[in-house]
Amino acid sequence: TYVLKRYWRPIRVNNPELYPTEGEIYEILDDGLDLEPKHAIAYHDIEIDGEIDSTLKLIRRNLVAQHYERRGKPLPAKRTKTDPDPSALLPEDRCHTNILMPMGESIRRFCNSLELLSCFPDYIREQKRSHDKLIIHRDANIGNLLIFERSKGTTFGRLMDYDHAKKAKEKIDITSYIRDLSSSELDIERKALQTILSHERRRKADNVVVGLNRQVDNEVLDRALKWFPEPIIGALYIAAVAKSTGLGNNASEKSICLSDLGWDEKDGVDKWPDFAN
């Protein structure tokens, strides 16, 4: 069973190499991957009388208004950072596109708990493969998580709908962002971070209550201060991870350590937190 996805994809005039078409992205993802079915069977732009069907040429006939202004509220002569960019108000050209894809079931229609649990690692692996190929989905949500059936009757999970995806130009070594703090600076920021995380002094930041019922090792504090530019950002991250894993919900004499947060060093090298295990 297949599904025909027909939609109007935006034509990116600026930096088109950053925005491959959805069909092109599926080709990138499927390249070197021995997995059936593929993301897409076929794709093409619809043509009318030998000309690509687009909103600007065939519908608007290249006619656009000189200025787009909200009635009664003209654009300001000088823009601040929060004002809309006038160029962003111009109509965007879109191309009529067809993509033939295999039919999948919504994750909401899983057969049993085992199928649900077995599919979620597939979604994580799919996103990791995408990132390895410099593809960023930018719309990962439960509506784009589908269950597909293999030829042998088994199922697997797949992240679909890459119509908002973007292709990065290159990978950047995240270790280049590690902060090099002196002993005195580290001591000051460590105390500030510990204060934020402490149970006695809860505080709200970005509508998130920061405060744990467990102590946090100094190694965890120091690692957070290496990765994050401010103590409050490090505190929000530690609190979010600890609470989502259940580590911070119950009082315990044992402090939260690096391995609890997936932060333990591997081969003596600082790496981004890894929650694979």
Side-chain angles (χ1 to χ4, degrees):
T1 306
Y2 300 94
V3 58
L4 179 63
K5 179 178 180 179
R6 176 175 291 177
Y7 72 108
W8 295 87
R9 67 171 180 84
I11 299 177
R12 310 286 186 175
V13 178
N14 298 323
N15 299 321
E17 69 279 2
L18 299 181
Y19 300 94
T21 67
E22 187 175 2
E24 291 171 341
I25 287 177
Y26 289 145
E27 282 193 351
I28 295 172
L29 296 178
D30 287 336
D31 183 33
L33 185 63
D34 185 19
L35 180 63
E36 295 291 343
K38 301 293 186 182
H39 283 80
I41 308 302
Y43 66 92
H44 68 93
D45 293 334
I46 298 174
E47 294 186 3
I48 299 178
D49 296 331
E51 189 174 2
I52 293 179
D53 187 12
S54 70
T55 54
L56 186 58
K57 290 183 179 180
L58 291 186
I59 296 178
R60 294 181 179 273
R61 302 295 180 181
N62 292 321
L63 296 177
V64 296
Q66 290 184 340
H67 298 285
Y68 275 74
E69 296 181 358
R70 189 178 301 173
R71 183 175 298 178
K73 189 177 180 181
L75 293 172
K78 292 184 179 181
R79 293 177 59 245
T80 63
K81 290 183 178 180
T82 57
D83 288 331
D85 183 356
S87 63
L89 301 178
L90 294 176
E92 184 177 44
D93 192 11
R94 292 178 176 269
C95 174
H96 207 178
T97 300
N98 278 343
I99 304 180
L100 183 64
M101 300 181 293
M103 184 74 173
E105 288 284 356
S106 168
I107 185 65
R108 295 183 175 92
R109 301 184 65 181
F110 61 91
C111 291
N112 49 56
S113 300
L114 180 60
E115 182 176 64
L116 176 65
L117 293 175
S118 64
C119 283
F120 265 93
D122 294 334
Y123 303 135
I124 297 172
R125 283 190 288 267
E126 166 99 2
Q127 194 161 34
K128 184 179 186 303
R129 280 196 301 267
S130 302
H131 292 172
D132 290 342
K133 296 187 176 184
L134 303 182
I135 300 295
I136 307 170
H137 191 283
R138 303 205 305 167
D139 190 28
N141 61 73
I142 194 169
N144 291 330
L145 304 181
L146 299 181
I147 300 175
F148 290 86
E149 186 175 352
R150 294 188 178 95
S151 57
K152 297 181 180 179
T154 58
T155 58
F156 68 96
R158 176 175 281 171
L159 180 62
M160 291 296 290
D161 281 350
Y162 282 78
D163 46 334
H164 294 288
K166 184 175 181 180
K167 190 176 189 299
K169 292 182 178 179
E170 60 179 338
K171 288 185 178 181
I172 298 177
D173 184 5
I174 60 174
T175 58
S176 62
Y177 290 92
I178 293 179
R179 302 169 69 207
D180 185 16
L181 299 174
S182 66
S183 299
S184 58
E185 292 173 331
L186 185 61
D187 185 56
I188 294 173
E189 293 201 13
R190 185 193 296 140
K191 291 178 180 178
L193 180 54
Q194 184 65 69
T195 300
I196 297 171
L197 285 171
S198 66
H199 180 67
E200 290 75 21
R201 295 188 60 184
R202 291 172 178 259
R203 61 178 290 181
K204 288 188 177 181
D206 298 331
N207 296 324
V208 178
V209 177
V210 177
L212 301 175
N213 292 336
R214 291 177 59 179
Q215 293 296 316
V216 179
D217 279 352
N218 282 339
E219 289 182 341
V220 174
L221 304 178
D222 295 349
R223 186 64 59 87
L225 294 171
K226 289 175 69 174
W227 285 110
F228 298 103
E230 298 178 12
I232 182 60
I233 301 176
L236 288 171
Y237 178 83
I238 293 172
V241 174
K243 290 178 180 179
S244 65
T245 56
L247 293 171
N249 296 331
N250 57 333
S252 172
E253 295 181 359
K254 182 179 179 295
S255 300
I256 297 175
C257 61
L258 285 176
S259 59
D260 290 333
L261 300 183
W263 247 335
D264 46 331
E265 291 184 8
K266 296 177 178 63
D267 303 322
V269 178
D270 279 314
K271 292 186 178 182
W272 194 246
D274 180 8
F275 300 101
N277 297 319

